[in-house]
Amino acid sequence: QGHGQVVLLSGEAGMGKSRLLKELRDRLGNVGLQAIHLQCSSHQVHAAFHPSIAYLERLLGLTRDQPVAFKLDRLDALVEDQFGRPRAQAALLASLLSIPGDSRYEPLVDSPHQREQQTIAALIDLVAAESQQRPMLLVLEDAHWADPATISLMRALAVRARHLALLVV
């Protein structure tokens, strides 16, 4: 109803946290809630925004062998057409996804810290835009393996969540 919540589920390994989350996703999916699943990995601890990158690649249906123009078209369709976000956010996300966008977008010229903050804002704006279309569940699994950029993203999302139709677990 536009009053988001954030839940931290913690416990010993093997106690059934993942099973509980799967059950939650299944039950809420049956009532029309959109679910985003972000998976952290011990192998990607030093890869900034790894869970978000993996999710966006799945959402856009991107593969390594697709042409750059096709990937950028898919990204533009999502960011600008579907969610009505500015082209600058598509440029940030193209950079995040390592898709060369030099010929399509204005160059991104800023410090690494500014780029991270703008990327966080762009990712949160996408979640906000999607949650306006229908309520959402966002699950960050195995957060103990999250990279620092993902932790910053989740902190910023937790602040903004209270104004969205969003449950973050």
Side-chain angles (χ1 to χ4, degrees):
Q1 296 177 357
H3 305 289
Q5 299 289 315
V6 178
V7 175
L8 175 63
L9 176 63
S10 69
E12 297 293 323
M15 71 174 291
K17 297 179 302 293
S18 294
R19 173 75 177 113
L20 182 63
L21 290 173
K22 183 191 178 316
E23 187 67 27
L24 177 66
R25 281 194 312 268
D26 290 349
R27 287 184 184 210
L28 293 178
N30 289 335
V31 295
L33 202 71
Q34 167 68 22
I36 294 176
H37 182 244
L38 303 179
Q39 179 68 53
C40 298
S41 166
S42 63
H43 303 292
Q44 301 294 336
V45 174
H46 302 293
F49 297 110
H50 169 73
S52 298
I53 291 168
Y55 171 74
L56 286 171
E57 288 174 342
R58 284 191 315 270
L59 179 65
L60 295 168
L62 300 182
T63 62
R64 292 181 188 264
D65 60 335
Q66 294 167 329
V68 169
F70 175 81
K71 292 177 182 181
L72 292 174
D73 289 345
R74 298 289 304 250
L75 183 59
D76 286 345
L78 176 76
V79 173
E80 295 179 68
D81 301 338
Q82 185 174 344
F83 294 128
R85 304 305 310 151
R87 189 173 198 87
Q89 288 189 348
L92 281 165
L93 296 177
S95 175
L96 178 69
L97 294 168
S98 300
I99 304 170
D102 301 340
S103 61
R104 186 174 296 204
Y105 308 119
E106 295 289 322
L108 300 171
V109 192
D110 49 18
S111 72
H113 177 72
Q114 287 173 319
R115 174 85 53 93
E116 180 177 302
Q117 294 307 307
Q118 291 171 351
T119 300
I120 288 170
L123 289 168
I124 290 174
D125 283 352
L126 283 183
V127 170
E130 194 165 358
S131 75
Q132 289 175 349
Q133 293 179 356
R134 64 182 174 174
M136 292 184 60
L137 167 68
L138 188 147
V139 174
L140 178 71
E141 200 157 351
D142 292 327
H144 59 285
W145 294 117
D147 60 274
T150 296
I151 296 295
S152 294
L153 169 64
M154 296 311 290
R155 284 184 176 144
L157 185 59
V159 170
R160 184 116 178 250
R162 74 183 86 173
H163 305 291
L164 305 173
L166 174 67
L167 172 60
V168 179
V169 182

